[in-house]
Amino acid sequence: MKALTKKRIIIGTIVGGLTASIVYLVWKIKNLLKFDISFSKLKFRETSPKNISFDLGVNFKNTSDIEIILKKQQYDIYLNDVFITTIFANNEQVILPNNTSLINLKVNLNTVDILDKIKSLGDGSLSSLLKLLANIKKQNLKIVFNFGVKLGLLTFPLKFTESAKIEDWGAKSTE
């Protein structure tokens, strides 16, 4: 066999192997995005006129056969398409394959800032704010998820958005 032919076979094999690996990885990530989430616990740590701090537990049902390690988490929260706050979690959390895992988040909210943003949803009046709060379960909650997902030796950025009425977030499915 000529040297040029051997070189082409080797290069073709490498390119084919890389292509197959990428297709397989994309398929795995697509399956990873089929999950169920539900809120499981809420424990207040501090409530004051200027700050609310609480622990939030989220059940994440991984329907794929991959163990997921979340290296970094960022959740951008919108109420009726108005940005409210961002929640960060930098602790590493493991989500088991074909299982439900608990994701623990520590949330700190500046109440003055949040109330200013919520007031912009109506006409700014107290009656408008009270009406919104009275019907809070009927409001649309959108969460933009930004994860650093570790699969094997590599960490990939993963961003997606879920939106539903607050009352429907009890058991949200992405299938």
Side-chain angles (χ1 to χ4, degrees):
M1 200 180 294
K2 294 184 180 180
L4 184 60
T5 305
K6 283 184 183 179
K7 196 177 198 179
R8 287 181 180 165
I9 290 173
I10 291 170
I11 291 172
T13 302
I14 291 171
V15 169
L18 285 174
T19 302
S21 297
I22 289 170
V23 167
Y24 178 73
L25 188 59
V26 167
W27 177 73
K28 286 287 194 181
I29 289 173
K30 184 178 177 186
N31 283 339
L32 174 66
L33 292 177
K34 295 178 182 173
F35 60 87
D36 295 329
I37 58 175
S38 61
F39 298 109
S40 67
K41 70 174 183 172
L42 178 69
K43 180 181 175 189
F44 285 94
R45 288 183 277 126
E46 175 193 350
T47 56
S48 71
K50 294 184 179 181
N51 191 44
I52 297 175
S53 299
F54 56 92
D55 297 325
L56 178 65
V58 178
N59 288 323
F60 188 105
K61 183 177 181 186
N62 180 2
T63 59
S64 74
D65 60 353
I66 319 172
E67 179 179 276
I68 306 160
I69 300 173
L70 298 178
K71 299 285 284 181
K72 181 190 116 198
Q73 302 167 60
Q74 177 181 325
Y75 305 89
D76 295 330
I77 312 296
Y78 295 81
L79 185 63
N80 294 342
D81 292 323
V82 172
F83 175 75
I84 301 298
T85 192
T86 298
I87 301 170
F88 296 98
N90 289 322
N91 55 324
E92 189 173 284
Q93 297 192 41
V94 177
I95 298 174
L96 300 172
N98 297 310
N99 208 331
T100 300
S101 300
L102 180 65
I103 297 175
N104 290 303
L105 301 169
K106 294 189 182 304
V107 180
N108 296 305
L109 301 175
N110 178 321
T111 54
V112 174
D113 186 41
I114 300 280
L115 283 174
D116 285 343
K117 291 176 181 174
I118 290 176
K119 283 181 189 176
S120 72
L121 292 170
D123 60 11
S125 68
L126 182 60
S127 63
S128 177
L129 177 61
L130 291 174
K131 185 176 179 182
L132 175 92
L133 293 175
N135 294 309
I136 194 70
K137 289 185 175 185
K138 299 291 183 194
Q139 307 309 310
N140 191 51
L141 177 67
K142 177 170 79 172
I143 302 175
V144 179
F145 298 84
N146 288 291
F147 293 144
V149 177
K150 183 176 179 185
L151 296 172
L153 300 174
L154 303 173
T155 300
F156 299 94
L158 182 62
K159 181 178 180 177
F160 58 95
T161 302
E162 290 297 322
S163 183
K165 292 196 182 305
I166 290 174
E167 64 190 358
D168 296 331
W169 274 93
K172 179 85 174 115
S173 175
T174 60
E175 288 191 70

